C-alpha cells in the first residue's frame, strides 16, 4: 500500500485524494470532448461536472455515515475525516444524478442527451478512483490464497484485490456502453444501462469484499440494493424501448433516465 505517494515540499500527497482529482479531470475532459461532438457546449459540461462532483462527494459521505452511524456517535468530528475513504458510491451516484437533473432543467439542456454523454465518463473516473483505493488500502477484499492476491488492506496478509476487480469491471462496462450507443432506442438509455451493469458488477464483487455485513439471507444490504437497482434499470430500458419514438423525432431530454432517477 502507498497511502502517501510523495511529499510536495512538506505536504503529503495522498494516493486516494490524487486519484479522485485525476478521475474528475479525466472524466470531465472526456465528457466535454464527446459532448462537443454531439452539439453540447463544453462549458456546460464543465460547469455540470463541478456541481456534480461536489454533490457526489457530499452525498457519498452522508450515506456512508448514515449506514455506519454507530461509528461516529462518540466522535462526531470524524465525519469530516475522509483520508481513508468512507464514501458510499450509491450515495454519490444518487446525489450526482439529482444535481445533474436540476442543472439541466435550469439551463434547458436535454437531460437524456447529457446522461448518455456522462455515463461512459463515470466509468473512467470510477476505475481511476478504485486504483487509488488499492494504493490507499481501503475497500479491500477478504483474506485469500489465490495467485493474484495482494497485500491490499490492513495487516500483512494477502487479500482479494477487490479494488482491481471493481476497476477492471468498470473498464469492461465502458466498452459495453460504447458498443450500445449506436443501437440505443432513446436518449438516456446509456445511463440506465450503466446503472444496471454497475449494479451487476458490484453485486459480484461484494462476495469478496470486506465491509459492513448486514446480511439478508446469504446477501449483504449492498447486494440487495444492487438487485433492486438492476431490476429498475433493465426494466426501465425494456419498457422505454418499446414506447420511445425514434431519436431525432422530437423527444425531449426530460424523457431520459435522469428525469426519473
Amino acid at each position: 500500500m502507498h497511502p502517501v505517494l510523495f511529499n510536495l515540499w512538506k505536504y503529503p500527497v495522498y494516493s486516494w485524494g490524487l486519484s479522485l482529482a485525476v478521475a474528475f479531470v479525466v472524466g470531465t475532459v472526456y465528457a466535454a470532448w464527446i459532448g462537443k461532438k454531439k452539439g453540447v457546449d463544453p462549458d456546460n459540461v464543465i460547469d455540470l461536472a463541478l456541481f456534480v462532483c461536489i454533490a457526489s462527494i457530499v452525498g457519498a459521505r452522508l450515506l456512508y455515515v448514515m449506514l455506519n452511524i454507530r461509528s461516529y456517535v462518540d466522535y462526531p468530528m470524524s465525519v469530516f475525516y475522509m483520508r481513508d475513504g468512507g464514501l458510499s458510491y450509491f450515495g454519490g451516484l444518487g446525489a450526482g444524478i439529482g444535481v445533474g437533473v436540476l442543472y439541466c432543467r435550469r439551463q434547458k439542456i436535454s437531460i437524456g442527451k447529457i446522461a448518455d454523454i456522462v455515463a461512459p465518463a463515470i466509468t473512467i473516473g470510477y476505475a481511476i478512483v478504485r486504483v487509488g483505493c488499492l494504493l490507499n488500502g481501503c475497500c479491500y477484499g477478504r483474506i485469500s490464497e489465490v495467485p493474484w492476491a495482494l497485500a491490499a488492506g490492513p495487516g500483512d496478509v494477502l487479500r482479494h484485490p477487490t479494488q482491481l476487480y471493481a476497476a477492471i469491471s468498470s473498464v469492461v462496462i465502458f466498452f459495453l456502453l460504447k458498443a450500445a450507443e449506436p443501437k440505443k432506442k432513446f436518449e438516456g438509455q446509456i445511463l440506465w444501462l450503466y446503472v444496471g451493469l454497475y449494479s451487476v458488477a458490484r453485486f459480484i464483487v461484494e462476495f469478496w469484499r470486506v465491509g459492513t455485513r448486514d446480511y439478508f439471507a446469504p446477501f449483504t444490504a449492498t447486494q440487495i440494493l444492487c438487485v433492486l437497482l438492476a431490476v429498475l434499470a433493465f426494466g426501465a430500458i425494456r419498457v422505454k424501448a418499446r414506447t420511445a419514438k425514434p431519436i431525432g423525432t422530437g423527444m425531449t431530454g426530460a424523457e431520459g433516465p435522469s428525469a426519473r432517477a
Side-chain angles (χ1 to χ4, degrees):
M1 295 187 296
H2 299 280
V4 177
L5 286 179
F6 55 87
N7 290 301
L8 191 60
W9 292 286
K10 295 182 179 181
Y11 300 97
V13 176
Y14 295 101
S15 54
W16 188 85
L18 181 61
S19 71
L20 184 63
V22 171
F24 172 75
V25 172
V26 173
T28 300
V29 169
Y30 175 83
W33 174 56
I34 296 297
K36 186 176 182 179
K37 288 185 174 183
K38 295 181 178 294
V40 176
D41 189 342
D43 289 340
N44 284 328
V45 175
I46 294 172
D47 290 344
L48 172 64
L50 289 171
F51 288 121
V52 167
C53 180
I54 296 172
S56 297
I57 293 175
V58 173
R61 185 58 173 174
L62 285 177
L63 183 57
Y64 181 86
V65 171
M66 290 172 61
L67 294 175
N68 300 274
I69 191 64
R70 283 178 289 184
S71 302
Y72 298 94
V73 172
D74 295 332
Y75 304 97
M77 291 304 295
S78 62
V79 168
F80 303 99
Y81 187 75
M82 297 190 296
R83 191 180 72 185
D84 296 327
L87 301 175
S88 170
Y89 182 71
F90 286 114
L93 183 63
I97 289 176
V99 168
V101 169
L102 292 176
Y103 177 85
C104 289
R105 286 180 174 170
R106 185 179 181 85
Q107 298 296 322
K108 298 181 179 179
I109 303 172
S110 169
I111 297 174
K113 189 173 186 178
I114 287 292
D116 287 349
I117 291 171
V118 169
I122 294 174
T123 66
I124 297 173
Y126 183 85
I128 294 173
V129 170
R130 285 309 184 195
V131 173
C133 290
L134 177 68
L135 295 173
N136 187 53
C138 59
C139 306
Y140 49 86
R142 301 186 182 201
I143 296 174
S144 174
E145 296 181 356
V146 296
W148 56 87
L150 299 173
D156 189 20
V157 294
L158 298 178
R159 299 176 178 272
H160 278 287
T162 47
Q163 307 96 327
L164 290 183
Y165 296 170
I168 292 171
S169 67
S170 196
V171 172
V172 172
I173 291 173
F174 171 82
F175 287 107
L176 291 176
L177 297 184
K178 297 303 293 182
E181 174 71 26
K183 305 173 185 178
K184 69 180 183 181
K185 303 295 184 181
F186 59 93
E187 298 286 8
Q189 181 176 338
I190 302 304
L191 181 59
W192 276 125
L193 182 59
Y194 168 71
V195 173
L197 292 175
Y198 171 79
S199 298
V200 172
R202 179 61 184 271
F203 179 89
I204 296 171
V205 172
E206 274 290 300
F207 284 113
W208 298 293
R209 179 172 167 173
V210 173
T212 303
R213 314 313 293 182
D214 294 326
Y215 283 91
F216 291 82
F219 305 118
T220 66
T222 297
Q223 287 176 311
I224 297 299
L225 179 58
C226 287
V227 171
L228 295 176
L229 286 176
V231 171
L232 173 64
F234 292 126
I237 291 174
R238 184 176 180 85
V239 172
K240 188 64 180 176
R242 287 179 174 179
T243 60
K245 299 177 182 178
I247 295 176
T249 60
M251 187 178 67
T252 64
E255 294 174 324
S258 296
R260 296 178 175 82

